[in-house]
Amino acid sequence: MRYSTVALSIAACLSLSLACVPALALTPSSADSQKSKTQKALLIGVDGMQYEKLQEAIAQNMAPHIGSLKLAKSYIGGIDGTSTEQLTNSGPGWATILTGSWVNRHQVDANNGALRNQAPSLFEQLKRAAPQRKTTSIVSWGTINDNFAEDIAQGYIDSATKCLDVDQCVADKAGYELEHGESDLVFAHFDEPDLAGHDHGFATEYQQAIQGVDAQVGQLLSALERRQATHPKEDWLIIVSPDHGRRLPDGYSHGQQTLSEKTTFIAMNKSANAQLTDPVSAPTNPGHSGLYGFASQADITPTILKHFGVTPEAAQHSMDGLPLIGALGVRQLTAQALPATSQVVLTWQGDKPRGKPVHIYRDGQHIASVPNHQGEYIDNDVKAINGNVNYTVEINKVPVSRLVTLQH
Ligand SMILES: [Zn+2]
């Protein structure tokens, strides 16, 4: 509460300054803006913050800072009934957010600090492309840093802090780093909405937890605002997002594949492309009232990498998500193995403008280019392959991938 008055005016100031300085928005294709701007990113995790309950808080002016960002619905939990399906729990959720991949790649299938992420993380991909970049991960729920212990050991995460469920510790440490530090990428994770949900369900305490974390988000935004006064050439991407929703009707729990548990949101300070702003109206999988037509939590890491100008080559690409800024990749990509005929069928949506080539890769090998409006490609050449195969489909120089397991 003690932040609310100060933070309100700073949020208004921040959104005003972003609106008034369009040059701050990076155009990835513009070499000039790449040279003159220093890209930075702040990813704020808000554990267990339910989309509809956040909307209620925003409507009641209890979440003005998250409400000042561009906010859209998204989903978590993979696609149920497929190899990407994962529990709507925090371990799998944060692993997806921090890798751009689902559980069949990251292998964090439970809330278990002994598990180690197996997919190239946001931190690793950024550091491999730009080793001079500095990364920080400050988490309220320490299991996240445990799941990414390899990233810490390898130096992909330069500074890792566990705040032991004290969210104000996260706000203070991340706020200090943002204002005074040299990090290029800061991940700050808050846990109170999830804790309040487990203890009280959808009660006053839950709305107060949303309000409290929003004030802490405001603390970070005002720290960045002060920084920008002395670092005007820095171009910060800010994303606020949760790892899962909550089970109806009471909000105490989560973990299953229900609409409310799978529904999440992505709030950004930058203009997004259609993957976030214009959900697919007829998703290939129509389940959960069309939820799969929206962006997913797997899109967050590709978006941050795109902001940094780091786009993995199609031949090396292995992320399931699409960048939410810049050019649009193919949407609704599916890859299905047909063991009876030893085929893999790829499908996608996105046919405008008609006739643009879509480039298809199997385990890094370019195997075909077809016009986008074809919407399908059948790989007949997989009889000799057993095990996992990574397919990548690229259009507009934007790759997106799916992992298929072949068993003959
Ligand atoms: Zn929880």
Side-chain angles (χ1 to χ4, degrees):
M1 285 301 292
R2 63 200 166 92
Y3 297 110
S4 56
T5 325
V6 179
L8 249 175
S9 59
I10 287 164
C13 180
L14 181 71
S15 56
L16 186 71
S17 72
L18 288 170
C20 292
V21 189
L24 274 175
L26 169 68
T27 312
S29 57
S30 162
D32 284 340
S33 80
Q34 292 277 9
K35 271 183 216 147
S36 59
K37 291 282 177 188
T38 304
Q39 277 69 44
K40 303 253 183 180
L42 168 62
L43 173 59
I44 302 175
V46 288
D47 208 298
M49 190 182 282
Q50 203 235 15
Y51 177 66
E52 286 82 3
K53 294 296 169 188
L54 170 64
Q55 299 278 27
E56 279 179 27
I58 290 172
Q60 293 162 8
N61 202 28
M62 289 167 67
H65 304 103
I66 300 174
S68 74
L69 302 169
K70 299 176 179 84
L71 192 148
K73 193 193 285 191
S74 58
Y75 74 87
I76 190 67
I79 296 195
D80 57 321
T82 76
S83 58
T84 63
E85 178 179 332
Q86 61 189 41
L87 298 178
T88 54
N89 281 335
S90 294
W94 294 117
T96 288
I97 288 166
L98 294 170
T99 63
S101 296
W102 298 113
V103 66
N104 55 335
R105 297 184 195 272
H106 64 61
Q107 303 291 323
V108 179
D109 59 3
N111 291 349
N112 180 348
L115 294 172
R116 294 291 174 266
N117 162 54
Q118 300 296 313
S121 73
L122 167 61
F123 309 104
E124 175 179 351
Q125 294 188 72
L126 177 61
K127 294 282 274 195
R128 281 183 180 273
Q132 79 283 4
R133 296 286 198 179
K134 291 279 175 273
T135 62
T136 293
S137 174
I138 302 169
V139 296
S140 190
W141 189 55
T143 304
I144 302 171
N145 279 358
D146 293 337
N147 293 149
F148 287 84
E150 275 303 303
D151 283 72
I152 298 168
Q154 298 289 327
Y156 300 136
I157 298 175
D158 292 290
S159 173
T161 303
K162 293 180 184 176
C163 279
L164 308 175
D165 273 339
V166 180
D167 280 0
Q168 194 53 50
C169 156
V170 176
D172 292 343
K173 287 184 188 300
Y176 186 88
E177 179 61 26
L178 289 167
E179 187 171 354
H180 304 290
E182 293 306 318
S183 288
D184 299 285
L185 168 65
V186 174
F187 172 56
H189 164 269
F190 296 100
D191 210 13
E192 196 54 36
D194 194 58
L195 298 173
H198 285 299
D199 286 348
H200 304 283
F202 291 142
T204 308
E205 289 88 346
Y206 186 72
Q207 296 306 110
Q208 286 170 343
I210 293 176
Q211 186 174 26
V213 166
D214 183 78
Q216 287 159 337
V217 169
Q219 187 181 340
L220 302 193
L221 297 183
S222 59
L224 262 191
E225 180 71 10
R226 290 193 294 276
R227 180 190 186 88
Q228 295 248 254
T230 51
H231 298 76
K233 294 218 163 195
E234 292 180 356
D235 175 23
W236 283 84
L237 169 67
I238 302 165
I239 294 180
V240 181
S241 204
D243 53 338
H244 54 73
R246 309 203 75 80
R247 193 175 310 158
L248 296 181
D250 52 29
Y252 277 95
S253 194
H254 58 85
Q256 297 176 355
Q257 295 283 324
T258 67
L259 176 59
S260 179
E261 288 164 275
K262 289 179 71 63
T263 299
T264 47
F265 63 86
I266 296 172
M268 279 203 317
N269 67 330
K270 299 210 175 261
S271 294
N273 63 28
Q275 172 69 0
L276 188 65
T277 62
D278 187 15
V280 172
S281 55
T284 306
N285 181 326
H288 302 291
S289 306
L291 184 65
Y292 293 132
F294 289 81
S296 86
Q297 301 308 79
D299 297 335
I300 292 173
T301 277
T303 302
I304 295 171
L305 290 173
K306 169 76 89 176
H307 174 69
F308 280 108
V310 176
T311 304
E313 293 293 315
Q316 274 92 50
H317 192 272
S318 64
M319 290 186 290
D320 298 306
L322 281 170
L324 301 171
I325 53 177
L328 198 58
V330 300
R331 303 172 78 182
Q332 301 285 307
L333 177 63
T334 72
Q336 193 187 3
L338 303 178
T341 53
S342 291
Q343 292 173 314
V344 172
V345 179
L346 305 176
T347 69
W348 62 86
Q349 294 191 29
D351 58 357
K352 293 188 181 68
R354 238 175 119 79
K356 268 205 156 190
V358 170
H359 307 293
I360 298 167
Y361 297 76
R362 182 209 309 123
D363 280 342
Q365 297 291 316
H366 178 251
I367 56 170
S369 293
V370 299
N372 55 347
H373 57 265
Q374 193 168 304
E376 179 184 85
Y377 177 78
I378 299 177
D379 185 5
N380 292 305
D381 201 16
V382 295
K383 288 189 180 62
I385 305 173
N386 256 304
N388 287 336
V389 182
N390 182 50
Y391 283 91
T392 299
V393 175
E394 182 195 59
I395 194 168
N396 299 325
K397 297 204 164 99
V398 179
V400 59
S401 301
R402 291 291 179 272
L403 193 66
V404 178
T405 304
L406 292 169
Q407 281 154 343
H408 300 293

